[in-house]
Amino acid sequence: MTKNEQVHAEVEVLRRRITELEAQVATSASTELQLPGLADPFATLFRASPVAVVITAIEDGRYLDVNDQFARITGYTREEVIGATSSELQIWANPDDRLRIGELFKEQVVIRDVELDFRTKAREVRTVIASLALIDFEDTPCVLTMCHDITERQQAAQERERLLAEAQAAVRLRDEFLSVASHELKTPLTALRLHIETMQRIGRKADTSEPTLQRIMSKLDISLQQINRLTELVNGLLDVTRIREGRLGLDLEPLDLGQVVQAIAEQFEEQFEQADSTVQLELAADCTICADRSRLEQIITNLLSNAVKYGRGGPINVFVFGDATVVRLSVQDHGIGIAAADQQRIFERFERAVSTQHYGGMGLGLFVVHQLVTLLGGTIAVESTPGDGSTFTVTFPRYVQSQ
Ligand code: ADP
């Protein structure tokens, strides 16, 4: 049962009890409203109820009785309230609410679940959710009000909304910053690459036996490698921006997945060697898919880079296989693996399951891979056991040439 349903159930019990009280009062000789003594279990319920209960005479607006919870919410004692009017106590924080209730009572005898603001004795505003009913005590028309204090809950909800809005604004700002930064970085990087390539060309034409020139040429090689790395990172950021803006164009053509994997794996030889990893390819023939070549290469490159990076120098197995309807690429390493709790989130932006201290990276590679695979009509899944390694499997629809 939710808190609201609980409150409604309690309100229902109290409402029934009030009807019984009405009957009792009607048979009583006294013209005054008399609630039974505390020995009566229903009176105990009235007093101890966590729902605030108020009985007000319609004629002069005086409070005929209130329970302890109402006193607790408003900060008055029961004695201070009983006999006073709501105007005397200035209890309505929004006097319009009172008029609204009056209007509603012209058409109905029970008003359920209205949100009202009360002002306490300390002049603090508290919000309650109230149900009100027209009742009669000894021919005295009264309003029975039952209310539940939701001030803290509402404040918590407002706080949550505020934090959510702040977080959304921060994410928006981050995305805008990424977009601007990646575009801004791209221009000087391209210029720098051109300058270095020009210097390399000039150097090659000069006396290459000159030791100083040899040193300069080797430094230029290293500079170009670093620029290439930086360009890759900036391109990754640009891809994220393009994906977010839905501007990632695809140039689709039928491609043999095994052949594309073979070519990329050859480019990776140096990296495999540096990481002391051996790679084994099992590539089935005729696994054709419809894809954008450079985006497909990007997917394979990312998965192989991760297998090298997180593979702890263990063997890497790459499989391409398929059936009549789908074609699959699996990249398996025997490295650090991924905890089950992280296996979904690593496909989200900036999500990483390793510390930056041990492994560099921005946590964008798998996000881009996932987005690209989805754009190409495929799916990606990971199977992994921490300490034993990971297998990333991409499944594409098989390309079948129409007759
Ligand atoms: P990055 O490598 O830059 O952190 P990715 O998006 O490529 O970003 O990967 C996200 C995270 O997924 C990594 O930080 C790492 O925790 C985990 N991960 C990816 N590939 C592997 C793998 N082959 N083995 C273990 N963990 C991996």
Side-chain angles (χ1 to χ4, degrees), residues 306-307 309-310 333 336-338 346 351-354 360-367 390 392:
N306 280 350
K309 183 167 161 187
Y310 300 108
D333 67 59
I336 60 170
I338 306 157
I346 53 171
E351 289 290 349
R352 312 192 69 223
V354 285
M362 295 196 288
L364 289 176
L366 283 182
F367 167 74
S390 313
F392 285 84

Side-chain angles (χ1 to χ4, degrees), residues 296-337:
L296 180 62
E297 288 175 352
Q298 201 176 345
I299 293 168
I300 302 163
T301 303
N302 261 303
L303 294 179
L304 286 181
S305 302
N306 280 350
V308 172
K309 183 167 161 187
Y310 300 108
R312 284 194 305 207
I316 295 168
N317 300 81
V318 183
F319 305 91
V320 169
F321 53 105
D323 58 25
T325 54
V326 296
V327 167
R328 292 198 163 90
L329 160 71
S330 275
V331 178
Q332 179 185 38
D333 67 59
H334 297 84
I336 60 170

